[in-house]
Amino acid sequence: MSHVLCGLAANSALPTELVDRLIAVADADTAEELAGREDLTRAQVLALVARVPETAVRLVHEGRLTEADIDPVAQPDAALALLDEGGGPPRWARLLANDPDRTRRERLAACPRLPADVVEALVADVDVLVVAELASHAAREVTARLATHPHAEVRRAVAGNETTPPALLAALLTGAGLPAARRCLVCDREEVPFVHDRECPRPDCELPPGASCDGSHESTVLAVQEAALRNPATPAEAAAGFVDHPSALLRWTLAARSDLPPRVSGRLAADPVPGVRDEVAANPAVDSALLRALSDDPSHEVRRAVAHHPHVPLDVLVRVAGTTRIGPTLLPRVAAASPAEVEELARASDPAARMLLAQRRDLPARTRDALAADADARVVKSVAADPGLSEGQLRAMVDRHGSRVVAKVAANPHASAALLEEITRHGNAARKALREVARHPRATATALLACLVDDEGCRRAAGHPALPLPVLLELLDDADWQVVEAAAGNPSLPRVVMRDLINGFPLAPVRR
């Protein structure tokens, strides 16, 4: 793998004649980068596929190859990609339904609009994983047939398919009215009773961690129930019966449903497992009374989920903000706050509440300016990236709060070149500040050179067009491959240098 070539392949300034040359020397990694270029001509697309056939799949998904460009016998993966996009003729699907490679038949089973005879062939496939993949994507009439399949893995796939009839989903959830499954992936491969080691050392083992079977296929039955509980087409009344199930995983899955009766959500909000309560707190369907109760939960994650809820009462949010680390994010409830609520948050005595408001970028100028002049550095840090702030306000922030705010000031899109240089010279300039400067479009050569002392700052600066050319050329030989790729991808790299770099790699024969 050549990191120089990979970087050049992504370079937006690479002229078309050098794209041609790069295609001619490309390895698989370089070809993958080239396939992502939007400026490839049709001739270049075809040349790239001839050079590295594996790129055909990506080029199909990006709409760069058509049915006329693909031979399904020589390029079965590209043919599958086009079928997956809803293209390709039925004869391709019929051909691939008999492919000896099971993984290709699995991928075919996930394709839309398959001919009826191909669906029937996949239903009867000798490999249960192919049938299960079909069950995950098939239409209602097929899932209705496969719900009673003797293999539990197929039933798990049916349980996750939203086209499966609700009555059958309820039956899969409880097992009522269905014949017992006779096989699962565990007893297909191991002598029962068997419990799969979660740290299984066998490199070729495909069983999921903890899979088990004592003859009742218990781990797969649990997976069927989980899939049905996660499926929104499963009737809510059937799902609600699992509120006291001994499996925390199933209760956790149940808690995410948005169609549960309030009494069920209330029971789950008192669950002994914090993850279950966390899921309840994040559920957009729960009411404000339940959110108010969960706001005092001992679990930090539960309280954090309450804060992120779009309908949390504002007073609850303010209280939670004072006891919970929420992070630098615009919360949905704050984003939707009315003008009166904005004023309420701006006047809050707790700086944690003002900090939440400061994440908004559509505040009235008077409110924004008040937050920019706040005495608390956390509030100022939150508002520092607002593009409406003036140069004077940004400088005042740095003067008052120093290293606590310089990174966010450097991230402000209107920070001046001079200010960015001053930030790199700041006595306690944080590494985060250097990284923000290194990717700022206004960064000067002087500022970028100061960023090279930080590993991530160097990677970002290597791709910046303002980096001095002598330094850029040195970075092409850097020990860090990410720096090399960024430098090779720098649009300021002279054309002659690009040409010489590509010509340093010998032409290799086209793969057939």
Side-chain angles (χ1 to χ4, degrees):
M1 176 179 182
S2 168
H3 296 295
V4 168
L5 293 186
C6 283
L8 286 170
N11 193 316
S12 61
L14 190 69
T16 187
E17 66 271 15
L18 291 185
V19 172
D20 289 334
R21 172 67 186 181
L22 188 53
I23 290 172
V25 300
D27 58 15
D29 296 296
T30 304
E32 184 66 18
E33 288 290 344
L34 283 166
R37 294 185 66 95
E38 296 181 356
D39 60 350
L40 290 180
T41 66
R42 176 161 175 75
Q44 288 170 335
V45 167
L46 296 177
L48 184 59
V49 173
R51 170 74 184 175
V52 182
E54 291 82 0
T55 58
V57 171
R58 176 172 180 178
L59 290 166
V60 165
H61 286 305
E62 294 185 358
R64 310 299 293 273
L65 290 176
T66 66
E67 179 183 326
D69 302 318
I70 298 168
D71 177 352
V73 176
Q75 301 166 289
D77 293 323
L80 273 169
L82 194 57
L83 288 168
D84 186 50
E85 293 290 336
R91 60 183 175 83
W92 287 10
R94 295 186 180 101
L95 174 69
L96 290 163
N98 295 308
D99 194 294
D101 186 334
R102 181 257 293 174
T103 59
R104 287 201 181 110
R105 302 198 308 278
E106 275 190 80
R107 286 155 54 199
L108 176 65
C111 292
R113 298 193 292 276
L114 293 173
D117 59 319
V118 172
V119 172
E120 290 303 316
L122 295 171
V123 166
D125 198 279
V126 295
D127 196 301
V128 71
L129 293 178
V130 175
V131 184
E133 189 66 30
L134 179 71
S136 294
H137 301 88
R140 181 186 184 97
E141 57 274 13
V142 178
T143 60
R145 290 166 54 195
L146 293 177
T148 57
H149 196 280
H151 203 286
E153 186 65 18
V154 175
R155 297 188 186 196
R156 180 201 59 77
V158 171
N161 189 325
E162 294 184 24
T163 71
T164 302
L168 280 176
L169 289 170
L172 287 165
L173 190 57
T174 63
L178 296 180
R182 296 199 296 270
R183 304 293 298 174
C184 71
L185 293 180
V186 179
C187 60
D188 278 349
R189 302 170 186 182
E190 306 290 345
E191 185 177 348
V192 296
F194 178 83
V195 178
H196 188 219
D197 186 351
R198 292 186 178 275
E199 304 296 332
C200 180
R202 295 179 293 179
D204 60 341
C205 183
E206 296 181 347
L207 289 176
S212 63
C213 181
D214 60 5
S216 66
H217 324 299
E218 62 273 15
S219 65
T220 312
V221 169
L222 188 71
V224 171
Q225 293 172 322
E226 180 191 0
L229 287 174
R230 202 177 297 281
N231 193 330
T234 300
E237 58 271 20
F242 281 69
V243 66
D244 293 317
H245 195 279
S247 167
L249 173 63
L250 296 188
R251 301 196 308 275
W252 199 321
T253 304
L254 176 65
R257 292 186 64 101
S258 60
D259 57 357
L260 297 176
R263 59 175 180 80
V264 175
S265 297
R267 292 270 288 280
L268 292 169
D271 196 279
V273 177
V276 177
R277 305 195 304 273
D278 181 16
E279 201 66 62
V280 175
N283 192 319
V286 299
D287 59 28
S288 58
L290 199 53
L291 291 171
R292 193 174 293 277
L294 288 168
S295 66
D296 293 321
D297 196 280
S299 167
H300 171 273
E301 292 304 318
V302 174
R303 299 195 307 274
R304 190 172 184 274
V306 169
H308 280 261
H309 198 283
H311 306 306
V312 60
L314 197 62
D315 66 304
V316 172
L317 175 58
V318 170
R319 181 160 51 83
V320 169
T323 61
T324 308
R325 185 176 180 82
I326 294 171
T329 184
L330 177 59
L331 297 176
R333 182 64 179 86
V334 175
S338 67
E341 290 172 330
V342 165
E343 288 302 312
E344 181 182 344
L345 286 169
R347 293 193 304 269
S349 59
D350 191 338
R354 304 196 301 276
M355 180 175 65
L356 296 180
L357 179 64
Q359 292 291 339
R360 279 184 59 157
R361 296 293 174 258
D362 59 348
L363 294 172
R366 178 176 57 83
T367 303
R368 180 201 62 215
D369 293 346
L371 294 170
D374 200 281
D376 194 290
R378 293 173 297 170
V379 179
V380 176
K381 181 179 177 181
S382 294
V383 78
D386 192 305
L389 295 172
S390 68
E391 174 84 358
Q393 287 173 307
L394 294 176
R395 288 182 177 278
M397 290 176 177
V398 176
D399 291 342
R400 289 197 314 271
H401 301 290
S403 60
R404 291 173 292 180
V405 301
V406 288
K408 292 298 183 182
V409 170
N412 191 297
H414 293 162
S416 68
L419 179 56
L420 293 173
E421 287 187 10
E422 290 177 27
I423 286 174
T424 64
R425 295 193 297 268
H426 194 277
N428 295 312
R431 297 280 179 171
K432 287 183 179 180
L434 296 179
R435 295 167 189 174
E436 293 295 344
V437 171
R439 66 180 177 187
H440 200 290
R442 295 185 177 182
T444 63
T446 300
L448 292 170
L449 291 175
C451 297
L452 299 181
V453 298
D454 176 69
D455 289 345
E456 182 59 31
C458 184
R459 293 170 192 140
R460 295 180 181 183
H464 200 292
L467 190 68
L469 180 58
V471 177
L472 176 57
L473 296 179
E474 286 181 16
L475 293 180
L476 289 169
D477 292 317
D478 197 87
D480 185 335
W481 67 268
Q482 294 179 78
V483 172
V484 173
E485 284 199 7
N490 193 314
S492 292
L493 202 63
R495 180 176 299 197
V496 64
V497 174
M498 294 182 186
R499 184 195 63 210
D500 290 345
L501 288 171
I502 296 172
N503 287 341
F505 290 84
L507 288 169
V510 172
R511 291 171 57 188
R512 299 294 184 187

